[in-house]
Amino acid sequence: MSELTKKCAAAKKASQDLISVSTITKNNALKEIASALVNYADVIIEANKADIENARNNGIREAMIDRLMLTKDRIKAISDGVLEVMALNDPIGEIINMTKRPNGLMIGKKRVPMGVIGIIYEARPNVTVDAAVLCLKTSNACILRGGSEAINSNKAIMRIMQEAAYSCGIPEGALNIVEDTSRETATELMRMNGYIDMLIPRGGKGLIKSVVENATVPVVETAAGNCHVYVDRYADFEMATEIVMNSKVQRPSVCNAAETLLIDKAIANDFVPKIFKSLQGAGVEIRADEEAMKIYSENVVLATEEDYYTEYNDYIISVKLVDGVDEAISHINEHNTKHSEAIVTDSYDNAQKFLNEVDAAAVYVNASTRFTDGYEFGFGAEIGISTQKMHARGPMGLEALTSIKYVVYGSGQVRK
């Protein structure tokens, strides 16, 4: 029996035991995990240093190394996130939509755990904590398979969480990490029918594509983030500049950072020089279409069609001039990954048209795309941002990790 099969079997057993674990016990475990992460921060950072060194030796760019790096401040923030999850209401056991039928039957829905949740993700060790604690709070066992870039960090974090959780009465086998980061093991995880009840990929386009194409277990698709900001002809320039800069520069390596800037041709002569100089001042490489380059071309690269489909995760942005809100919407729906899209405008009609017609999990009016996040939406930590339309869409918090069962109360009714 392979390492993965053993862990999946242990997780399956633990998931059955977790059903009867109380909210108090789960919250005690989360509190202990939060404390342990801070208390053993030096152990985590030492393991993380090995991952950072390996990443640099392998030529991974700095924007991606930023996603990998852990500091005491970041670990404290992760720990605080665990406490936020602890403070959230436990959805398990909640009865919703109870109705009385004409025959006297009382029929309602009860929130229940999914069972065993598998998560495949890349170089973000904070996901190891987020995924584990969300699964624990919802009485799900988890099988985590992080990328090779963060394996030392992930192993150290998981050992600390396991010791903390199991000491509080959480069933052993509830928290698992796959130490073999080979593609073969990842593919094996995608096909663990009978063990995995839901598989969630978190990462770039290649990872998502691989999981969707190879998995035989149920998958929640969390796509890459090719996000857009459209500056409408009725936009306030100062607001637009601040939103574009925040969306692109505040943290370019994450999935809700903007990758493409669309500008209405009606304001291009005035706005293009302003925003290009601001972006270049922040170290952003601009890849623009010919029309934009006729207005401002200094140190600007001509964009290709492929650029408009690209999630850079870096200090790079593609730019295109469009003839109004209709063309902006058409371009976005053709090129986006259905993640997060924003319009900057003072026009109520254009804002409503954008909200109604753009196909994405989150659509913004006069705000940065960077808010698509479980914490910012008030869900606490998130397991991922779903860009599909079945079961869950947008930031996936606790409720997205539950299923329902119908509960029916009778008083002797039989069907005639």
Side-chain angles (χ1 to χ4, degrees), residues 105-123:
L105 286 178
M106 297 293 295
I107 302 177
K109 298 178 183 179
K110 182 178 182 179
R111 290 199 185 278
V112 296
M114 284 286 183
V116 178
I117 297 177
I119 301 99
I120 299 180
Y121 54 104
E122 294 176 331

Side-chain angles (χ1 to χ4, degrees), residues 186-238:
T187 302
E188 186 183 358
L189 179 60
M190 298 174 202
R191 297 171 180 172
M192 276 290 173
N193 298 77
Y195 293 110
I196 302 293
D197 295 289
M198 182 169 73
L199 182 63
I200 304 170
R202 278 187 70 165
K205 185 183 296 184
L207 171 64
I208 307 300
K209 184 172 184 288
S210 175
V211 173
V212 171
E213 290 180 353
N214 290 289
T216 57
V217 299
V219 174
V220 174
E221 187 172 350
T222 59
N226 184 19
C227 306
H228 300 69
V229 176
Y230 165 55
V231 180
D232 186 49
R233 66 185 63 188
Y234 302 109
D236 177 271
F237 280 14
E238 293 305 316

